[in-house]
Every structure is written in structure tokens, then in C-alpha cells.
Amino acid sequence: MLLLFVLILPGYVQAEITMTDVDFTPRLQKAYFEIQKLRLPNARKLIDAERAEQASNVFIPYLDNYADLHYLLISEDRVAYKKLLALESGRLDMVSQLSDQSPYKRFLLAEIRLHWAFAKLKFGDQASGAWEIIKAYKLLEENRRKFPDFIPTLKSLGLLHVLIGSIPDNYAWVTRVLGLKGNIQAGIREMRIVQQEEPFFRQEAELVDLLLHAYTLKLSSEQQKRIRKWPIEQPDNLLLHFFATTVLMKENRSEEAVVFLNEAPGGEAYVSFPFLKYLKGEIELQRGNYDAAAEHYLSFQKQYRGFNYIKDAYFKLFMCRWLAGKDAEANVFIKKISASGEMIVEADQLAERTAKEFLAGKISAQQKTLYQARYATDGGFLSKAWAIIQNLSENNFTAIAEKTEFNYRKARILHKMGQNAGAVPYYERCLLLSQSVSPGLGASAALQLGYIYIEKKEKQQAANYFKKAMSFKKHEYKNSIDNKARAALTELGQ
């Protein structure tokens, strides 16, 4: 079935648009879904076969770009990034040849710009990436005004409305000056329209919707079921296995996540994905299986050619040795952190800071229990985490920062075990102690207190804690915590 909206929707000037310009052929449709499965070699073969028959088809540069985005985000290949970036203008020029009366013109131009926005942001080209987002937003808004019945526009416009709506207040003036309007709930509604009415882009819209809820908003019970069901429905889809793994790990359900991780398809048919080794290391570290974890981290480092999670992998290798009582081996890894990788993602920023603190003698052996409890909690191994920390008190620790973290760890375990009343005093104690020594933990404690008071239906108290969470300055979790707090405040009508 060909999705030739230009031939059937009212108001389009059909005579100016040839089928060879916008023809989503069955072969290109298959390529699109192969890309979403991360089966990039086969997708590129399908695209090239179509190119040989009708090189002027504008869906070809769109899918070329879509495949390149997936490759770059996974590989973090700087050489390929520079090479592929040079192709952007030619692809945009080709799409620009479409008639202004085609709803696909601005839509595909915006899609290509959004692809490059995400790639540029990934590779550190912040200003250029932001400019791509602005251009894409303007194109999509214009397309919606000009062709209000063209549903695909809402897929990416909805995403941008959510992202812009999640920007903290202190940066909101920038979006207003640039004429960008965000609204989280409106953006979600727009993507839901695509899921309901547009069969071709349904899966992409649903996936974006789920990821936004997982990382910025909050997953509903139905969405959690969908995350688990999707890879079972598509066992050959590596991307869905990856997202099910990472979302479940984020939800502190590593025992479930490892099932999807172990069942993830691989081989020559798929793009190389060394990060899966890193995830296996994370789960074994959470379990306390330090030798097995170290093997996975070392395998990740051997295969990976990117620039993110390098510092963190060395830090986790340090942890695998330090927590196992092998301090001399641990010191070899801790000393490699500052000279390796970059500090773009929060995990690498935390690894860099913690390494400096450890080498400066600011992290004592007393903290080993705190790290063990933390990793077990992160994985959802709550019985193990509670066994580690239940008989400890503030008096077992010397430094204020250690006392702060003890209170936070104990609160988190109780909170996740459903004992909210027991968690609140520990969160509040953490918040009190954190002011000058651990702003990240203080912000996290305030965020969690906000969630607890939402459950208690004490909305004003919840709002106060969300605002408190956003008030902490310069800590490694600021972006993610501020986004979650802002989203929660929006849902509360504030």
C-alpha cells in the first residue's frame, strides 16, 4: 500500500506533483522498518535498489538520512559523522525540488533537519544542532497551517512540543524569543493522533511517546506492559529489545531487563552495538557479581569506538575491583578516568568527579556499603540492598556527605519497597544535610518527596518539593531532575 497523501487529500495541486517525486514504494517501506530494527545493511541495500530505478524519489534521501542517524547515534563514529554531515545539504536540496503544494516537502525537510539536530547534539555541535531544531519547528508549524489534515506532521511536531514544554523556566525566555511554543500535554495528544490515524508512522510515534514518558514524564501501567510486549511481538527487532532493556533498567527492574537483553538479536544483519555489553556489565554490578561485570565492561571497551561512557566504564571497572576488596587493581582503573573519554553524559561527569574525589582521599572505605546498596537498589534487588544497609546508621559514617548519602539510600530502598511513611524522614534528613555538600542528592530527595506527596494527594506540598528540586544549582543530575520536576509541575497545573 502506497501512502500517497498528495493524491487523495483535498486541497492539493495534484498536477504539479509526480509519482516519482513522492512514492513510498513497498521496498522503501520495508527499508524504513528495517532501519527501526537496526538491520541497517539490508535497509541500505533496499534503498540502493530503489535508487537504481527512480533516483528522484524524495523518500530516498529521507531514508538515507534516517539510516545514518541510527548508525551515528549507536557508533559515535566521528570520522563517519564528518563524512555524512557533508551530505546533508544535497539531501535537503533534493527534497526542496518538490512543489510547495506537496505536504511532504516541508515534512521531509523538517525530518532531515531533526535527524541532524539529534546527531549534532550527540557529537557536541550544540549551536548547530539547536539551529536545526528551530528550522525544523518552523517547517512543521508551517506545514500544519498549510495542510491541517496531513497527520504525519504531528509525529515530530508533537515531539518538539513536549521537549520545548519541558524546558526549565530559567531557559524558557529563549524559546519565547525564538517563537517556539511548547506544551507537554498537547504534544502527547498530537503523537497519539498519529498512533491512531497514521498506520505507517504509528510505531515510530508510539516509541517516541513511550520514551518521553520513560525519561521525562512517567510511564503508565499500560505503557509498561507495552514495553514488555513489543519485543515479544517483534523478536527480530534489536531496537525494541534495547529500549525494553534500558527502560526496565531505569525502572529498577534489571532482573526482567536481562531477559530482553539476552534475547536481543545480533550478527552481521544488524549494526554493531557494543553498548549491549556495557548494559550486561551494569546488571552484573548491581547483582554484586563483580568478576562477571568486569568481563562485560572490558569487552565493551575493546569493541567500542565512541566517546561516551568511556570514563564511566573505567569507573565501573574500578568499582568491580574496589568493592571486591582488590584495592591495588582498582587503583589502576581509577587513574585512567581523567585522561579518557569526554564529559557529555551525566554518567561520565559523575565518574570524573568521583575519581578526583577518590584520588584526593575524600572517599573512604566506609562508602563501600553505600555503593553496594546503591547498585543493588538501582537494579531492583531490594532484599539484597536492605540486607546491606538495614543495620547501619549515620553513626557508621564520618563525613557529612557520607551521612547524606546514607539517608538517601535508606529512603530510596524503603520508598521502592512501598514503605513511603518510613522513607519520608530519611529523605527529609538527606535534604537538610545536602545543602552545601551533596546538591545532587538533595535535588533527588526533593523530587522523590514530591512524588510521595502527589500519591498522598497533597498537591501544594508536592509542588513545593518539585520547586525545591529545581532550586539546586550545578550538580550532575540537574538536567534530568529539572525536566522531571517541570513535567510534574505542569501536570499539577503550576
Side-chain angles (χ1 to χ4, degrees):
M1 176 179 175
L2 302 181
L3 300 179
L4 298 177
F5 290 89
V6 293
L7 301 178
I8 59 176
L9 290 181
Y12 301 161
V13 182
Q14 299 173 15
E16 295 185 25
I17 309 169
T18 67
M19 289 192 64
T20 55
D21 283 333
V22 282
D23 189 1
F24 225 146
T25 66
R27 183 159 50 193
L28 290 182
Q29 292 179 36
K30 181 174 177 57
Y32 172 76
F33 287 111
E34 287 287 272
I35 292 169
Q36 289 185 8
K37 294 178 180 180
L38 300 184
R39 295 170 57 91
L40 299 190
N42 190 47
R44 293 190 190 282
K45 288 179 183 178
L46 291 166
I47 297 168
D48 287 340
E50 196 71 33
R51 195 189 328 268
E53 294 184 7
Q54 50 171 343
S56 63
N57 190 340
V58 292
F59 280 101
I60 291 175
Y62 160 68
L63 290 175
D64 281 336
N65 221 65
Y66 195 49
D68 289 347
L69 171 68
H70 285 72
Y71 172 75
L72 291 173
L73 293 183
I74 291 170
S75 71
E76 296 185 357
D77 184 338
R78 289 194 182 280
V79 174
Y81 172 69
K82 292 180 180 179
K83 179 181 177 182
L84 295 172
L85 181 58
L87 302 176
E88 179 187 11
S89 60
R91 292 169 179 173
L92 291 171
D93 287 345
M94 184 173 174
V95 176
S96 295
Q97 300 305 309
L98 277 176
S99 164
D100 282 341
Q101 300 306 313
S102 169
Y104 279 107
K105 180 174 183 176
R106 293 166 188 81
F107 170 68
L108 293 178
L109 287 173
E111 289 288 286
I112 291 172
R113 289 199 177 279
L114 268 185
H115 295 164
W116 280 109
F118 297 138
K120 288 176 179 181
L121 292 173
K122 177 81 167 183
F123 283 80
D125 293 341
Q126 305 295 330
S128 183
W131 186 237
E132 295 278 20
I133 289 175
I134 294 168
K135 289 181 178 179
Y137 178 89
K138 300 291 188 184
L139 285 164
L140 291 167
E141 282 284 12
E142 185 179 357
N143 212 43
R144 183 171 65 169
R145 289 193 300 270
K146 195 173 182 66
F147 305 105
D149 297 322
F150 187 68
I151 303 300
T153 302
L154 301 180
K155 172 181 69 70
S156 295
L157 190 59
L159 167 62
L160 292 180
H161 283 157
V162 173
L163 294 179
I164 295 167
S166 302
I167 291 174
D169 285 342
N170 55 325
Y171 292 105
W173 67 271
V174 178
T175 62
R176 289 195 295 270
V177 169
L178 296 172
L180 309 181
K181 297 179 181 179
N183 185 305
I184 293 174
Q185 297 308 318
I188 295 298
R189 285 196 299 271
E190 288 165 342
M191 285 186 288
R192 298 276 167 86
I193 292 172
V194 178
Q195 294 170 46
Q196 295 165 6
E197 300 183 20
E198 213 311 291
F200 187 79
F201 292 106
R202 175 182 297 146
Q203 178 170 289
E204 186 178 345
E206 185 179 2
L207 183 57
V208 171
D209 186 354
L210 288 171
L211 292 177
L212 285 170
H213 278 82
Y215 289 93
T216 302
L217 306 171
K218 196 171 183 179
L219 286 170
S220 67
S221 59
E222 287 302 314
Q223 288 175 317
Q224 291 180 18
K225 291 177 184 177
R226 184 60 174 146
I227 285 287
R228 291 171 174 82
K229 187 177 179 182
W230 227 344
I232 297 171
E233 294 174 345
Q234 298 185 41
D236 65 339
N237 193 317
L238 176 55
L239 185 64
L240 293 181
H241 281 79
F242 168 68
F243 281 132
T245 299
T246 54
V247 170
L248 286 169
M249 288 179 70
K250 183 181 178 299
E251 296 288 311
N252 311 113
R253 297 180 180 275
S254 290
E255 201 68 73
E256 290 183 73
V258 75
V259 175
F260 292 105
L261 185 56
N262 289 336
E263 293 179 351
E268 294 182 357
Y270 296 85
V271 65
S272 177
F273 208 162
F275 193 70
L276 300 180
K277 297 286 187 181
Y278 170 90
L279 295 177
K280 289 184 177 182
E282 292 286 275
I283 293 174
E284 293 302 333
L285 177 61
Q286 293 166 353
R287 285 171 164 166
N289 298 333
Y290 301 126
D291 288 343
E295 289 182 13
H296 290 305
Y297 289 125
L298 288 169
S299 179
F300 163 71
Q301 288 186 328
K302 184 177 180 180
Q303 298 176 27
Y304 187 56
R305 296 294 178 268
F307 45 84
N308 287 318
Y309 295 96
I310 301 297
K311 292 179 183 292
D312 185 63
Y314 276 122
F315 177 67
K316 297 301 176 48
L317 283 165
F318 158 77
M319 279 292 170
C320 289
R321 298 297 184 244
W322 190 57
L323 296 179
K326 302 175 181 179
D327 291 13
E329 294 180 41
N331 288 337
V332 173
F333 292 114
I334 200 78
K335 292 176 181 177
K336 293 183 178 182
I337 293 174
S338 292
S340 63
E342 298 189 17
M343 292 176 60
I344 298 173
V345 298
E346 290 179 349
D348 288 331
Q349 295 169 13
L350 179 61
E352 176 80 10
R353 180 174 65 79
T354 308
K356 289 180 179 178
E357 290 177 355
F358 182 85
L359 293 172
K362 296 180 180 179
I363 296 179
S364 70
Q366 292 175 322
Q367 291 198 36
K368 288 187 179 182
T369 54
L370 295 177
Y371 276 106
Q372 289 170 332
R374 171 188 176 180
Y375 291 133
T377 306
D378 288 346
F381 304 107
L382 301 181
S383 296
K384 179 181 179 65
W386 186 246
I388 292 168
I389 208 169
Q390 64 176 326
N391 294 322
L392 300 179
S393 71
E394 276 191 28
N395 295 331
N396 292 101
F397 304 96
T398 305
I400 296 298
E402 294 172 351
K403 294 177 185 289
T404 302
E405 183 163 359
F406 162 76
N407 282 283
Y408 182 77
R409 298 300 162 204
K410 201 156 190 176
R412 285 302 284 148
I413 297 168
L414 289 167
H415 191 177
K416 289 179 179 298
M417 292 173 72
Q419 299 180 32
N420 290 3
V424 167
Y426 288 105
Y427 277 137
E428 290 178 340
R429 179 66 174 162
C430 169
L431 194 54
L432 178 65
L433 294 173
S434 68
Q435 301 299 318
S436 59
V437 294
S438 304
L441 289 178
S444 297
L447 181 72
Q448 297 304 325
L449 284 165
Y451 290 142
I452 287 175
Y453 279 98
I454 281 181
E455 289 185 29
K456 295 174 68 175
K457 301 189 184 305
E458 297 182 27
K459 293 185 178 181
Q460 189 54 54
Q461 184 77 316
N464 291 340
Y465 278 117
F466 289 131
K467 291 173 183 177
K468 180 66 176 178
M470 296 172 65
S471 71
F472 284 86
K473 310 296 183 184
K474 296 182 179 179
H475 58 85
E476 63 272 19
Y477 309 115
K478 184 160 183 62
N479 288 339
S480 59
I481 287 177
D482 280 9
N483 283 341
K484 291 173 183 176
R486 167 50 52 198
L489 285 168
T490 300
E491 289 188 5
L492 290 171
Q494 298 201 26

